[in-house]
Each structure stands twice: as structure tokens, then as C-alpha cells.
Amino acid sequence: MAARKQNSTYTSNEKYIVECDLTYAVNKIGGRWKILIISKLEKGKMRFGELKKEFPYITERMLTLQLRALEQDGLVKRTVYAEVPPRVEYELTEMAAAFGPIFQQLSEWGGKHRKSVN
């Protein structure tokens, strides 16, 4: 892939967006599945198979990608146990746990306004 020009509109916009706290936060939880994964992990540690059962319509590859992205962003902690068969658990970090009240408010807002827009 070609390198992006330093004076391109995309690069300029990206610099501006990164400085906005709200946009930073939304980018961390953006995507179709991240909010749902974080919401499920609020209940406690879960294994990959348990998460997969919670989301029957997500592919294993997509779930893996979303979990990796959340882990890289410091929102999910992945613990691998040296057992046969291998056991891997996922849990929220303190930073991700802070989203709990925010997600609750968003859920209430969605429930209140979902029907009024359709």
C-alpha cells in the first residue's frame, strides 16, 4: 500500500480527530460488535466459546479480530492458562469498566427514541 501524503486532507482530518476526546472514545468502541462484547464482559470473565454462544451471528474470525482490537486498545485483558487443552479467558480492564454507566445511558436513550424515528 502506498504511503499517505503528509499534506493530504485525510491526514489533516486524522490529526484533528485524534485531538478530540469524544472522537477518540468513540473510535475505541466503534464497530458493530465492540460495544456488545464489552457489555457481555461486564458480567465477568468469559471464555471465547462462551462469547461465541452469546453472539451466534458473528463469525469466529470477526470475534477474534474484535477481541484483539479491544485488547490492543487496553479495554480487554486476555489471560492464557498453560493447560491442555488451552484455556483463554477475557475480562474488562478498569478503563473499559468505566463505560458501564455510559452504555446504560445510551441503552436508555436508544429505548426511548428507537420508536420515534421509524
Side-chain angles (χ1 to χ4, degrees):
M1 183 178 235
R4 206 175 325 133
K5 295 178 185 176
Q6 291 300 320
N7 61 350
S8 71
T9 304
Y10 185 91
T11 301
S12 299
N13 290 340
E14 186 178 50
K15 289 176 186 174
Y16 173 75
I17 288 170
V18 168
E19 293 173 4
C20 174
D21 295 338
L22 177 60
T23 305
Y24 173 82
V26 170
N27 280 329
K28 293 297 178 192
I29 59 170
R32 180 172 288 178
W33 299 103
K34 287 182 181 179
I35 291 176
L36 294 171
I37 292 168
I38 292 170
S39 177
K40 291 296 179 188
L41 288 173
E42 280 182 322
K43 299 172 187 168
K45 295 179 184 180
M46 294 181 81
R47 295 177 71 173
F48 184 87
E50 294 171 326
L51 284 167
K52 181 66 179 108
K53 287 178 185 173
E54 291 287 336
F55 308 111
Y57 300 110
I58 189 173
T59 64
E60 287 187 14
R61 181 180 179 337
M62 181 54 68
L63 180 56
T64 299
L65 291 172
Q66 296 293 288
L67 286 167
R68 283 184 188 161
L70 289 166
E71 184 181 9
Q72 287 177 346
D73 289 339
L75 299 174
V76 168
K77 179 182 172 192
R78 179 179 186 256
T79 306
V80 181
Y81 296 92
E83 299 176 354
V84 178
R87 179 170 56 115
V88 179
E89 290 182 338
Y90 297 91
E91 63 183 309
L92 295 182
T93 62
E94 285 185 39
M95 183 170 41
F99 278 119
I102 298 166
F103 288 168
Q104 180 61 37
Q105 287 181 328
L106 279 172
S107 179
E108 290 170 5
W109 182 90
K112 180 178 178 181
H113 297 286
R114 176 192 303 240
K115 295 175 186 149
S116 64
V117 177
N118 295 335

